[in-house]
Every structure is written in structure tokens, then in C-alpha cells.
Amino acid sequence: MDDLTLVRDHTVYRCVMGSRAFGLATEASDTDLRGVYLAPTPLFWRFDKPPTHVEGPREEEFSWELERFCELALRANPNILECLHSPLVEEVTPVGEELLSLRGAFLSRRAHTSFSRYAASQRGKLLADVRIHGAPRWKHAMHLLRLLLSCRDLLRTGRLTIDAGPHRDRLLAVRRGELTWEETDAWMARLQEETESALASTVLPAEPDRARVQDFLVRTRRASAA
């Protein structure tokens, strides 16, 4: 069984991500597809294991094998957690429905660390652009602000919302370069401070519910082997 067949025949969940899912799309925006496939259990009995991820078959499409997806979600990987909360679902099977029902099991205070590290890395790249070129890549600045907003609100409410909502107009103004870098950077700094404050009183548990996720994975593997 080749890699693309796994995606075509065994996808349990597929959604649209990127600007379209964030409510920040323009006419030029791509349609980024992200998915999860369940490799049949017998494939793991061979020396050559099935792939943990596959690119394609469509442009801008990327999928993870279920176990790898769950591992990353338990680590609070921002991209993975956001996939579970996309408002634009293209395909979902009963296994995918159960995966979505576990969204709360993946959420924990680990998100503060993972989102903050990713944000710090991206801000470093923006600062390098400002030093070298005099301006950041405004699209990347917009998406970093959206991520910081999402993390702050997750810690405040215990729920992950990826749609830009009431911040859409100002975020798109950042993308168009209508705010100065100083204004944009000040907004980032303020969001980071608010995120730290939210962490102190967050309702999120310290750790994700690994046992619940593992039970789901074992049952799903067992059913696939039957």
C-alpha cells in the first residue's frame, strides 16, 4: 500500500486550515488541507512501518497517521491543536468523530509553553527581517498576533477558538502594513503579558488526559486488526 493510498482510503478526518479557517482569507489565499489517516493495524506487523505523515495527494495537503497526530496533540503542538478546532471540516468518519470528541482531553497548561515557544521563534524571525530589510513580513506578523490571541483566550476560557473574530479587521490591517512595526510589536508584547496573567488563573489542567487518549487509540487499533 503506497503512502497516498493511505490518505485516499483511510482518512478519518480532514479539515481546511490556514487563513480560511482563521477568518483571514483574501482572494489570493490558498486552501490548506490537513488530515488524519488510520493506517490499518496489519501494516505495523511488517518490518517497514507505515509513514507517520504524508504530503498530498492534493496541493497544500498534509496528513498525519492517527498515533502521531495524538502524540503531537498531547504535547500541545499549536498546529495540531488548531486542526482539531477548525470550523471548516471536509470529511469525518466515526473514528474521526471520536477523535474530535477528545478535543478537551488534549488541552492543558502545556499549551502555554508550546504556543509561547513557537511565538518566540516566529518573533525572532520577524525582528531579523526588520533589522535586515527595515520591515517584517506582514503576513507572518498577522498570523503571530492571531496565535497569541488564541493562546491568551485558551488560558482564560479553557476553550481553543481559532477564528479571528472581533480582531479580524485590525489583523488584516497588520497584513496590509497599515500599522507600524512599533505598533505591531507593542501589541505582541501586550498579548504576551496578558497570556502570562491568564496562566496564573487558568482553568486548564496541568497535564492532558493521556489515559483517555490512549484508550481511544488502543480500541481503534484493535478494531482495525479485527
Side-chain angles (χ1 to χ4, degrees), residues 10 17 25-26 37 43 45 56 82-84 95 107 112 116 118 129 141 146 153 167 186-187 189 198 216 219:
H10 298 282
M17 285 302 298
T26 65
Y37 59 91
L43 294 183
W45 300 339
E82 289 181 340
C83 280
L84 283 170
V95 171
L107 296 179
H112 171 262
S116 296
Y118 183 78
D129 285 337
R146 185 209 59 78
D153 293 345
H167 306 285
W187 189 7
F216 159 67
R219 285 187 290 102

Side-chain angles (χ1 to χ4, degrees), residues 12-92:
V12 299
Y13 175 65
R14 181 186 294 116
C15 66
V16 175
M17 285 302 298
S19 294
R20 297 192 184 282
F22 302 144
L24 297 170
T26 65
E27 292 181 359
S29 295
D30 295 325
T31 299
D32 300 321
L33 297 173
R34 298 293 180 266
V36 182
Y37 59 91
L38 173 63
T41 300
L43 294 183
F44 290 91
W45 300 339
R46 311 176 308 179
F47 285 120
D48 296 325
K49 307 301 181 187
T52 58
H53 60 269
V54 175
E55 291 190 46
R58 289 180 282 183
E59 289 187 12
E60 308 299 333
E61 182 171 5
F62 190 97
S63 300
W64 294 268
E65 206 282 322
L66 178 63
E67 183 174 344
R68 178 60 174 165
F69 186 87
C70 289
E71 287 176 347
L72 293 171
L74 287 168
R75 297 177 194 169
N77 178 289
N79 293 323
I80 300 294
L81 291 182
E82 289 181 340
C83 280
L84 283 170
H85 293 78
S86 173
L88 304 177
V89 176
E90 278 209 339
E91 179 181 352
V92 62

